[in-house]
Short mmCIF file of all heavy atoms in Angstrom, two decimals:
data_model
loop_
_atom_site.label_atom_id
_atom_site.label_comp_id
_atom_site.label_asym_id
_atom_site.label_seq_id
_atom_site.Cartn_x
_atom_site.Cartn_y
_atom_site.Cartn_z
N GLY J 116 126.78 64.15 99.01
CA GLY J 116 127.23 62.62 99.02
C GLY J 116 128.75 62.61 99.28
O GLY J 116 129.44 63.59 98.94
N GLY J 117 129.23 61.43 99.67
CA GLY J 117 130.73 61.38 100.04
C GLY J 117 131.09 62.34 101.07
O GLY J 117 130.54 62.48 102.02
N THR J 118 132.16 63.18 100.65
CA THR J 118 132.65 64.19 101.55
C THR J 118 131.80 65.52 101.44
O THR J 118 131.96 66.42 102.29
CB THR J 118 134.12 64.55 101.38
OG1 THR J 118 134.22 64.99 99.96
CG2 THR J 118 134.99 63.30 101.49
N ARG J 119 130.94 65.61 100.39
CA ARG J 119 130.08 66.81 100.21
C ARG J 119 128.91 66.76 101.14
O ARG J 119 128.06 65.83 100.94
CB ARG J 119 129.66 66.94 98.73
CG ARG J 119 129.02 68.16 98.46
CD ARG J 119 128.76 68.26 96.99
NE ARG J 119 128.07 69.43 96.55
CZ ARG J 119 128.77 70.60 96.39
NH1 ARG J 119 129.94 70.75 96.58
NH2 ARG J 119 127.98 71.63 96.04
N ARG J 120 128.80 67.64 102.13
CA ARG J 120 127.76 67.45 103.17
C ARG J 120 126.63 68.47 103.03
O ARG J 120 125.61 68.25 103.75
CB ARG J 120 128.46 67.73 104.52
CG ARG J 120 129.46 66.72 104.73
CD ARG J 120 130.45 66.75 105.91
NE ARG J 120 129.98 67.56 106.98
CZ ARG J 120 130.77 68.42 107.73
NH1 ARG J 120 132.03 68.47 107.60
NH2 ARG J 120 130.22 69.01 108.73
N GLY J 121 126.70 69.49 102.13
CA GLY J 121 125.66 70.30 101.96
C GLY J 121 125.79 71.17 100.77
O GLY J 121 126.88 71.15 100.15
N ARG J 122 124.81 71.96 100.35
CA ARG J 122 124.85 72.81 99.29
C ARG J 122 123.71 73.82 99.40
O ARG J 122 122.70 73.62 100.12
CB ARG J 122 124.75 72.02 97.89
CG ARG J 122 124.80 72.88 96.70
CD ARG J 122 126.09 73.59 96.57
NE ARG J 122 126.09 74.45 95.42
CZ ARG J 122 126.66 75.63 95.27
NH1 ARG J 122 127.26 76.18 96.31
NH2 ARG J 122 126.60 76.27 94.17
N TYR J 123 123.72 74.75 98.56
CA TYR J 123 122.49 75.80 98.52
C TYR J 123 122.44 76.32 97.02
O TYR J 123 123.36 76.10 96.33
CB TYR J 123 122.68 76.83 99.48
CG TYR J 123 123.60 77.89 99.11
CD1 TYR J 123 123.16 78.99 98.43
CD2 TYR J 123 124.91 77.88 99.54
CE1 TYR J 123 123.99 80.06 98.12
CE2 TYR J 123 125.79 78.87 99.20
CZ TYR J 123 125.27 80.00 98.47
OH TYR J 123 126.10 81.07 98.11
N TYR J 124 121.31 76.74 96.77
CA TYR J 124 120.93 77.31 95.49
C TYR J 124 120.23 78.73 95.62
O TYR J 124 119.38 78.82 96.37
CB TYR J 124 120.01 76.44 94.70
CG TYR J 124 119.77 76.75 93.27
CD1 TYR J 124 120.54 76.04 92.26
CD2 TYR J 124 118.76 77.58 92.86
CE1 TYR J 124 120.37 76.43 91.04
CE2 TYR J 124 118.61 77.89 91.49
CZ TYR J 124 119.35 77.31 90.58
OH TYR J 124 119.18 77.66 89.22
N PRO J 125 120.89 79.78 95.22
CA PRO J 125 120.41 81.12 95.31
C PRO J 125 119.24 81.42 94.50
O PRO J 125 119.16 80.93 93.33
CB PRO J 125 121.58 82.03 94.99
CG PRO J 125 122.40 81.20 93.98
CD PRO J 125 122.15 79.83 94.36
N VAL J 126 118.21 82.15 95.09
CA VAL J 126 116.97 82.47 94.32
C VAL J 126 116.63 83.79 94.64
O VAL J 126 116.98 84.33 95.70
CB VAL J 126 115.89 81.46 94.75
CG1 VAL J 126 116.02 80.09 94.18
CG2 VAL J 126 115.54 81.36 96.14
N PRO J 127 115.84 84.58 93.75
CA PRO J 127 115.57 85.84 93.92
C PRO J 127 114.35 86.20 94.98
O PRO J 127 114.28 87.29 95.37
CB PRO J 127 115.26 86.43 92.65
CG PRO J 127 114.79 85.24 91.84
CD PRO J 127 115.52 84.09 92.37
N CYS J 128 113.44 85.23 95.05
CA CYS J 128 112.32 85.54 95.91
C CYS J 128 111.73 84.20 96.48
O CYS J 128 112.05 83.08 96.03
CB CYS J 128 111.23 86.25 95.08
SG CYS J 128 110.55 85.13 93.82
N PRO J 129 110.82 84.22 97.47
CA PRO J 129 110.30 83.04 98.11
C PRO J 129 109.57 82.19 97.16
O PRO J 129 109.61 81.01 97.29
CB PRO J 129 109.30 83.68 99.17
CG PRO J 129 109.70 85.06 99.42
CD PRO J 129 110.35 85.60 98.21
N ASP J 130 108.90 82.74 96.10
CA ASP J 130 108.12 81.89 95.21
C ASP J 130 109.10 81.00 94.44
O ASP J 130 108.79 79.76 94.21
CB ASP J 130 107.26 82.75 94.17
CG ASP J 130 106.15 83.38 94.80
OD1 ASP J 130 105.75 82.95 95.88
OD2 ASP J 130 105.71 84.49 94.35
N PHE J 131 110.22 81.51 94.01
CA PHE J 131 111.21 80.75 93.34
C PHE J 131 111.81 79.66 94.34
O PHE J 131 112.13 78.50 93.95
CB PHE J 131 112.35 81.59 92.60
CG PHE J 131 111.98 82.10 91.29
CD1 PHE J 131 111.93 83.45 91.18
CD2 PHE J 131 111.58 81.28 90.31
CE1 PHE J 131 111.63 84.05 89.89
CE2 PHE J 131 111.35 81.79 89.03
CZ PHE J 131 111.22 83.17 88.83
N ALA J 132 112.07 80.13 95.53
CA ALA J 132 112.63 79.10 96.52
C ALA J 132 111.72 77.98 96.73
O ALA J 132 112.11 76.78 96.71
CB ALA J 132 112.83 79.84 97.82
N LEU J 133 110.39 78.12 96.82
CA LEU J 133 109.50 77.05 96.95
C LEU J 133 109.46 76.14 95.67
O LEU J 133 109.41 75.00 95.73
CB LEU J 133 108.10 77.70 97.28
CG LEU J 133 107.91 78.27 98.58
CD1 LEU J 133 106.50 78.96 98.66
CD2 LEU J 133 108.10 77.26 99.72
N ALA J 134 109.47 76.79 94.49
CA ALA J 134 109.48 76.02 93.25
C ALA J 134 110.78 75.04 93.13
O ALA J 134 110.69 74.07 92.69
CB ALA J 134 109.35 76.97 92.05
N VAL J 135 111.93 75.66 93.48
CA VAL J 135 113.19 75.00 93.41
C VAL J 135 113.10 73.75 94.43
O VAL J 135 113.42 72.67 94.20
CB VAL J 135 114.42 75.81 93.60
CG1 VAL J 135 115.74 75.01 93.77
CG2 VAL J 135 114.55 76.71 92.42
N ARG J 136 112.66 74.11 95.56
CA ARG J 136 112.51 73.10 96.78
C ARG J 136 111.68 71.99 96.33
O ARG J 136 111.91 70.84 96.27
CB ARG J 136 112.01 73.75 98.00
CG ARG J 136 112.03 72.76 99.11
CD ARG J 136 110.98 73.15 100.26
NE ARG J 136 109.74 73.26 99.69
CZ ARG J 136 108.72 73.70 100.38
NH1 ARG J 136 108.81 74.30 101.51
NH2 ARG J 136 107.45 73.67 99.81
N ASP J 137 110.49 72.32 95.75
CA ASP J 137 109.50 71.32 95.25
C ASP J 137 110.05 70.43 94.09
O ASP J 137 109.84 69.27 94.14
CB ASP J 137 108.19 71.90 94.85
CG ASP J 137 107.47 72.52 96.09
OD1 ASP J 137 107.86 72.30 97.16
OD2 ASP J 137 106.55 73.34 95.78
N ALA J 138 110.85 71.06 93.29
CA ALA J 138 111.39 70.36 92.13
C ALA J 138 112.51 69.34 92.57
O ALA J 138 112.64 68.23 91.98
CB ALA J 138 112.03 71.25 90.99
N LEU J 139 113.25 69.56 93.64
CA LEU J 139 114.28 68.65 94.10
C LEU J 139 113.78 67.73 95.20
O LEU J 139 114.45 66.78 95.45
CB LEU J 139 115.40 69.56 94.66
CG LEU J 139 116.25 70.30 93.62
CD1 LEU J 139 117.26 71.26 94.32
CD2 LEU J 139 116.82 69.48 92.62
#
């Protein structure tokens, strides 16, 4: 938002990536 145009969250494996993606 505002001037902040992107971000990321590091995860150890694809299963966690999917879980974080689904939660957000």
Side-chain angles (χ1 to χ4, degrees):
T118 60
R119 187 173 182 81
R120 298 170 25 213
R122 180 63 181 143
Y123 78 91
Y124 191 92
V126 293
C128 67
D130 290 339
F131 278 120
L133 292 171
V135 170
R136 185 202 62 190
D137 292 348
L139 295 173

